[in-house]
């Protein structure tokens, strides 16, 4: 069974940093691009970032470019999101998902990031 | 950025009836369109991709149609478990993905 399990969420300071992780199992992790999508409380879905299967190319939404860094460790089947210079608007549930030809399937259960001053 | 607009924001339908949800793109996305279902407190799950192909395990009562800028998700013979929020997502411009704002399908 394909599973994705996020961790690392919690309370982050305004202007501070957090690092999210996503542990993958049940599929050949190194063969797939991976992505992060976030959902602010009571709001819709926003794509955040994507990393290619080898980790050699990364892409970001304009809202996080220059502040967030996506990476992966294929030896550990783990995806990461380093979040720096946190803003109020970064408060959201962050989901990781396996990307395949543009579609996201499956998704992890999500981890909540709350930015507070 | 391609803007995705879903309508209506909320749709009230009785169990057993058919629900029709719409998604419009600000420019053509060909058939690069997916639909997701999100139940309260859960992660989204893939329903439809390529505008009309059901994902693995998705019942036949879910169907997608459209191409270009106009898309429809139809759910026939609504079951209690179908009442949720539905999102469309375009992936025509890789990887600058965008989602619609969602349609909440509620019990009438």
């Amino acid at each position: 069974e394909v599973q994705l399990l996020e961790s690392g969420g919690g309370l982050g300071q305004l202007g501070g940093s957090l690092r999210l992780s996503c542990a993958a199992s049940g599929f050949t992790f190194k063969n797939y691009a991976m992505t992060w999508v976030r959902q602010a409380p009571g709001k819709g879905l926003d794509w955040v970032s994507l990393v290619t299967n080898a980790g050699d190319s990364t892409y970001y939404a304009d809202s996080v470019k220059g502040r967030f860094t996506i990476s992966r460790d294929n030896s550990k089947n783990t995806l990461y999101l380093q979040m720096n210079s946190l803003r109020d608007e970064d408060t959201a549930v962050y989901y990781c998902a396996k990307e395949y030809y543009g579609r996201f399937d499956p998704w992890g259960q999500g981890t909540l990031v709350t930015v507070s001053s | 950025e391609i803007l995705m607009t879903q309508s209506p924001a909320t749709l009230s339908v009785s169990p057993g009836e058919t629900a029709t949800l719409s998604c419009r793109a600000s420019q053509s996305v060909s058939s690069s369109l997916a639909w997701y279902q999100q139940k309260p407190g859960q992660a989204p799950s893939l329903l439809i991709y390529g505008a009309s192909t059901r994902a693995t395990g998705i019942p036949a009562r879910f169907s997608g149609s459209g191409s270009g800028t106009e898309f429809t998700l139809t759910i026939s013979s609504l079951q209690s478990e179908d009442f949720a929020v539905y999102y469309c997502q375009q992936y025509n411009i890789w990887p600058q993905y965008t989602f619609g704002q969602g349609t909440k399908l509620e019990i009438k």
Side-chain angles (χ1 to χ4, degrees):
Chain A
E1 180 190 5
V2 176
Q3 284 194 327
L4 299 170
L5 185 62
E6 301 94 337
S7 60
L11 189 61
Q13 290 290 319
L14 193 65
S17 300
L18 280 177
R19 189 195 198 200
L20 307 183
S21 299
C22 170
S25 61
F27 66 102
T28 306
F29 182 71
K30 65 181 181 180
N31 288 353
Y32 293 91
M34 296 294 294
T35 196
W36 289 97
V37 178
R38 68 184 180 184
Q39 185 171 36
K43 302 298 183 182
L45 303 170
D46 286 316
W47 173 75
V48 172
S49 184
L50 177 140
V51 60
T52 53
N53 63 315
D56 52 352
S57 293
T58 57
Y59 304 87
Y60 300 92
D62 288 344
S63 58
V64 306
K65 199 173 294 181
R67 300 188 299 120
F68 289 10
T69 301
I70 191 172
S71 62
R72 63 192 296 162
D73 186 336
N74 286 345
S75 68
K76 296 182 178 179
N77 288 350
T78 303
L79 173 72
Y80 303 101
L81 186 67
Q82 177 68 43
M83 308 165 63
N84 297 333
S85 302
L86 287 168
R87 303 171 178 171
D88 285 335
E89 56 265 35
D90 296 324
T91 293
V93 174
Y94 285 74
Y95 297 100
C96 65
K98 178 169 72 72
E99 191 264 11
Y100 185 67
Y101 286 99
R103 56 194 187 258
F104 305 154
D105 181 46
W107 300 52
Q109 88 291 346
T111 188
L112 176 62
V113 171
T114 303
V115 180
S116 173
S117 56
Chain B
E1 175 179 307
I2 298 178
L3 182 65
M4 306 300 293
T5 303
Q6 292 185 240
S7 60
T10 303
L11 182 61
S12 300
V13 183
S14 300
E17 295 189 339
T18 296
T20 302
L21 289 68
S22 296
C23 175
R24 175 177 293 178
S26 61
Q27 66 188 73
S28 177
V29 299
S30 186
S31 295
S32 302
L33 192 285
W35 289 95
Y36 299 87
Q37 177 191 67
Q38 186 177 33
K39 298 179 181 180
Q42 297 185 18
S45 60
L46 178 67
L47 288 175
I48 300 282
Y49 62 92
S52 61
T53 302
R54 282 188 301 276
T56 302
I58 301 303
R61 64 179 184 272
F62 291 89
S63 63
S65 63
S67 66
T69 62
E70 301 284 342
F71 301 89
T72 300
L73 174 68
T74 302
I75 313 169
S76 59
S77 302
L78 277 165
Q79 309 290 307
S80 57
E81 62 266 29
D82 299 335
F83 293 93
V85 180
Y86 293 85
Y87 294 94
C88 62
Q89 174 229 342
Q90 70 79 22
Y91 50 92
N92 193 54
I93 300 179
W94 188 93
Q96 296 302 321
Y97 309 116
T98 48
F99 292 89
Q101 80 280 17
T103 291
K104 181 180 181 180
L105 179 59
E106 62 177 28
I107 300 175
K108 187 174 182 179

